[in-house]
Amino acid sequence: MADARVNALMEKIVSLCKRRGFIYQSSEIYGGIGGFWDYGPLGAELKRNVKDLWWRTLVHEREDVAGLEATIIMAPQIWKASGHVDTFSDPMVDCKTCQGRFRADQLDDIPCPQRPSKMVSQCEGEKTEARPFNLMFETNVGPLKDAASVAYLRPETAQAIFVQFKNVLETSRQRVPFGIAQIGKAFRNEVTPRNFTFRSREFEQMELEFFIRPDEVIEAICGRVATVAEGSWQGEPQPDWGWEVWHKYWVEQRLRFYESIGLPRATLKEYWQAPEELAHYARATVDILFTFPFSKRDARGELIGEELEGIAARSDFDLSQHQRFSGKAMTVFDEELKAAWAKLEPGRQTELARRYAEARQQYLTRMAATPEEAEQAAAQARADAEALAKGSYVPHVIEPSAGVDRLILALITHAYAEDEAPDDKGKLEKRVVMRFHPRIAPVKVAVFPLLKNRPELVAKAREVRDLLRPLMTVFYDDAGAIGRRYRRQDEAGTPFGITIDFDTLGEKGPELKDTVTLRDRDSMKQERIPIHELPARLLSQVR
Ligand code: ATP
């Protein structure tokens, strides 16, 4: 029963998305292509608004983050260094009876293609053993199709940030701690794309790599490392923050961002991965979860959310990997560290160098590709600790990594509402309304002349449209009864509607001349407001 209701709700949302031009199936006239989706006029605006706000919040409104826009196809060695060539795979199972291919960990959730009333796991068809299936899309660069020309469509945007780290550091005049942000396409050949756009094969990510000093460096400079319990992560960044406080700070910043675009905290959950779930290089990872209509329940009946974003403390793993594979130093020189180190007591120097060398050795031993490399790990780690004493180290990183399309789907499902509104004769009728936060709404304001066959009304309405157009997205609509026009904008999620009527022309008295009615989408309340006040009034809410 619950499932039927959920399906019905998702069906309504999917059909509204198509009907109103938020999201269409890619290549629809050819029957579509699994896992690929296009954004229509309203969807494209919505997506652009979300990406612009992410960029504005991180890059423009902060001094410690710089932007990057890298290519989708990069040197294939990058994916060797990152581990994607060897380990970026899902377990896949084939059904010998129906020839279907499924993710081994989803057999309980995917309907059998031959008997849709049953899940794949409940059907008798003979299945193969699970085997790894690499999710990267392969292509060839240049005219020859051979092993040497193989390249990949990037499965994440993050690696480009790591490999351009040194260039950005030098050209942006930043110093650690600082971040590099990038928005762009990523591709994963998901075995079973599903749940509308939630798991797609082509999608966009918004990723920040925030580079920080290793804790030993903080201790050398500040004498101590702040703890999460002290609570400073809620405020402005401080010099004594180590990875733990920075990580907590970024979780908080990201939650505040979601709130600012209309996903209240109550709709989000923080899921702190247990130690056994963490990737070997990660010190902590928090997933920000949102409950979609298709989210499952756990054994206690509680809805489990789905991941919108992962925020990981990744140590110095990524830069160290690229340092090893490229042979290019990924270290920074930190003047403050050099000066502070020289003033440390010898015992303290030894202690910090020992801890630093230990962590480096652990990493180098684990990632050694040959026995020789493993043998050299201890000596290399000692050399790294000596370099630290001279002010040089590989920065650590905190990575907030979000998916744009999943966020758009969360915003759409959260905004979708049904209620009642009066029609033109005052009779209540059902209305579908997308309650987008004004900051992300695709169209900010609709302008309606009361009647389209009255040139004075039309001229005034066009004047209002032209006044607002340079400031925000405006939709001009003169077709049909005013109630119908409101309804259309409610479905598009337009937060404000302006009607130009005979009062605007001053026909009922001079005091109302050049005033309009401003209608609020959610409360449906209307107020009279002078035209010249519109820009400031609307801008304060849509920016
Ligand atoms: P999942 O476990 O759901 O496959 P993930 O942990 O592999 O996701 P990450 O590699 O951490 O995802 O990618 C960061 C973000 O990119 C995710 O939080 C998600 O928002 C987005 N993302 C990842 N894979 C997809 C996909 N196939 N379709 C849409 N968005 C995706």
Side-chain angles (χ1 to χ4, degrees):
M1 182 62 203
D3 273 357
R5 238 191 353 250
V6 162
N7 289 341
L9 174 59
M10 269 318 285
E11 265 169 37
K12 280 192 207 171
I13 290 172
V14 172
S15 105
L16 176 116
C17 281
K18 179 175 151 84
R19 180 160 46 84
R20 293 314 316 263
F22 284 99
I23 300 172
Y24 315 124
Q25 203 180 11
S26 162
S27 324
E28 192 190 274
I29 60 166
Y30 289 100
I33 166 168
F36 295 86
W37 300 93
D38 292 342
Y39 288 80
L42 290 180
E45 292 293 339
L46 178 64
K47 209 173 179 195
R48 184 175 287 256
N49 290 344
V50 167
K51 290 191 286 184
D52 283 354
L53 283 168
W54 185 88
W55 191 265
R56 195 167 99 194
T57 311
L58 286 177
V59 183
H60 294 172
E61 291 178 0
R62 300 181 64 104
E63 274 165 17
D64 56 1
V65 176
L68 176 71
E69 192 161 321
T71 58
I72 286 168
I73 294 176
M74 299 184 283
Q77 296 96 308
I78 289 175
W79 307 109
K80 192 79 190 145
S82 67
H84 284 80
V85 169
D86 296 326
T87 59
F88 191 57
S89 54
D90 278 340
M92 184 175 72
V93 161
D94 286 342
C95 175
K96 292 183 185 166
T97 313
C98 77
Q99 316 297 328
R101 288 201 149 161
F102 312 99
R103 243 172 82 166
D105 54 343
Q106 293 175 348
L107 300 184
D108 289 341
D109 304 335
I110 302 174
C112 168
Q114 293 200 326
R115 299 173 66 190
S117 61
K118 298 212 166 212
M119 297 298 145
V120 176
S121 59
Q122 297 167 316
C123 286
E124 270 123 43
E126 195 192 336
K127 319 270 190 331
T128 61
E129 288 292 307
R131 62 188 189 290
F133 171 74
N134 195 297
L135 300 183
M136 283 197 293
F137 279 99
E138 263 186 42
T139 186
N140 295 82
V141 174
L144 289 180
K145 259 193 169 196
D146 58 14
S149 68
V150 168
Y152 306 96
L153 303 193
R154 64 182 177 198
E156 60 173 39
T157 56
Q159 293 305 321
I161 298 182
F162 296 123
V163 300
Q164 291 293 5
F165 166 72
K166 273 309 212 32
N167 274 335
V168 176
L169 179 71
E170 274 154 30
T171 51
S172 66
R173 303 176 60 93
Q174 293 279 358
R175 281 189 325 193
V176 176
F178 82 104
I180 304 176
Q182 180 171 222
I183 300 179
K185 291 272 189 181
F187 302 80
R188 295 183 188 180
N189 197 4
E190 299 280 358
V191 182
T192 30
R194 61 206 184 114
N195 287 335
F196 200 16
T197 57
F198 179 83
R199 189 171 297 286
S200 308
R201 289 179 166 137
E202 174 173 342
F203 55 97
E204 264 183 293
Q205 290 184 314
M206 307 186 283
E207 294 194 296
L208 169 69
E209 302 299 332
F210 196 82
F211 300 97
I212 56 173
R213 289 164 160 161
D215 277 10
E216 292 80 10
V217 173
I218 308 283
E219 270 190 70
I221 295 173
C222 302
R224 69 188 293 272
V225 177
T227 65
V228 168
E230 292 162 20
S232 64
W233 52 270
Q234 298 182 61
E236 291 298 303
Q238 299 299 322
D240 63 355
W241 285 8
W243 72 265
E244 228 169 331
V245 177
W246 272 114
H247 182 240
K248 183 81 180 145
Y249 166 83
W250 277 112
V251 174
E252 173 65 20
Q253 293 301 310
R254 299 301 303 134
L255 289 169
R256 285 185 197 173
F257 173 75
Y258 288 119
E259 273 182 306
S260 77
I261 59 169
L263 288 183
R265 267 176 205 240
T267 64
L268 301 168
K269 274 191 229 158
E270 282 174 41
Y271 176 75
W272 289 72
Q273 289 189 9
E276 64 275 14
E277 293 173 278
L278 290 175
H280 63 83
Y281 47 78
R283 295 187 163 172
T285 299
V286 172
D287 293 336
I288 297 186
L289 310 181
F290 174 82
T291 311
F292 288 91
F294 48 78
S295 291
K296 300 253 158 352
R297 288 179 189 276
D298 65 14
R300 287 174 303 150
E302 300 240 350
L303 275 168
I304 313 168
E306 314 290 332
E307 176 185 327
L308 289 186
E309 167 160 359
I311 302 157
R314 298 175 63 93
S315 68
D316 54 4
F317 175 78
D318 307 275
L319 288 180
S320 298
Q321 282 293 93
H322 289 299
Q323 176 166 285
R324 280 182 47 236
F325 275 73
S326 70
K328 305 279 181 339
M330 289 290 170
T331 47
V332 294
F333 174 68
D334 191 327
E335 192 80 57
E336 253 185 289
L337 168 64
K338 190 177 172 205
W341 194 273
K343 291 187 203 138
L344 287 178
E345 304 250 309
R348 193 90 184 106
Q349 287 179 343
T350 316
E351 160 65 9
L352 289 178
R354 183 188 59 74
R355 270 180 18 215
Y356 186 74
E358 238 172 56
R360 292 298 297 166
Q361 189 175 342
Q362 228 177 46
Y363 155 74
L364 290 163
T365 313
R366 187 192 288 272
M367 298 315 293
T370 59
E372 293 76 43
E373 259 187 39
E375 262 170 42
Q376 287 157 11
Q380 180 59 51
R382 273 198 304 278
D384 290 347
E386 277 161 28
L388 182 80
K390 294 185 187 128
S392 137
Y393 54 84
V394 175
H396 285 225
V397 72
I398 308 290
E399 176 191 81
S401 164
V404 183
D405 310 78
R406 278 192 193 175
L407 175 53
I408 296 296
L409 187 57
L411 291 164
I412 287 177
T413 59
H414 183 65
Y416 182 91
E418 292 173 10
D419 62 7
E420 290 191 322
D423 66 10
D424 281 309
K425 299 195 178 71
K427 196 171 134 250
L428 282 184
E429 60 176 7
K430 195 186 115 187
R431 86 165 172 159
V432 170
V433 53
M434 297 298 282
R435 298 190 197 278
F436 292 122
H437 191 292
R439 297 177 91 200
I440 58 158
V443 177
K444 308 300 185 196
V445 61
V447 177
F448 312 117
L450 187 62
L451 299 171
K452 83 168 174 192
N453 54 5
R454 296 294 290 265
E456 325 85 275
L457 287 176
V458 168
K460 200 73 190 169
R462 292 209 171 125
E463 211 177 278
V464 172
R465 175 196 68 186
D466 295 343
L467 170 76
L468 297 173
R469 217 174 228 175
L471 307 172
M472 63 193 76
T473 43
V474 184
F475 189 80
Y476 178 86
D477 188 3
D478 60 12
I482 197 81
R484 292 253 68 80
R485 286 185 260 168
Y486 283 155
R487 244 8 48 81
R488 282 201 287 269
Q489 292 308 312
D490 289 341
E491 276 195 345
T494 308
F496 304 105
I498 293 170
T499 307
I500 285 79
D501 56 18
F502 294 106
D503 291 353
T504 314
L505 304 177
E507 290 192 3
K508 286 201 192 140
E511 67 285 359
L512 291 181
K513 187 165 175 1
D514 282 334
T515 65
V516 292
T517 61
L518 181 64
R519 172 188 184 262
D520 179 274
R521 172 198 67 202
D522 297 337
S523 67
M524 293 185 268
K525 292 220 171 78
Q526 303 197 12
E527 63 176 303
R528 203 91 213 162
I529 165 168
I531 290 173
H532 70 87
E533 282 180 20
L534 283 171
R537 172 69 179 275
L538 295 175
L539 280 177
S540 69
Q541 304 200 45
V542 304
R543 278 222 168 132

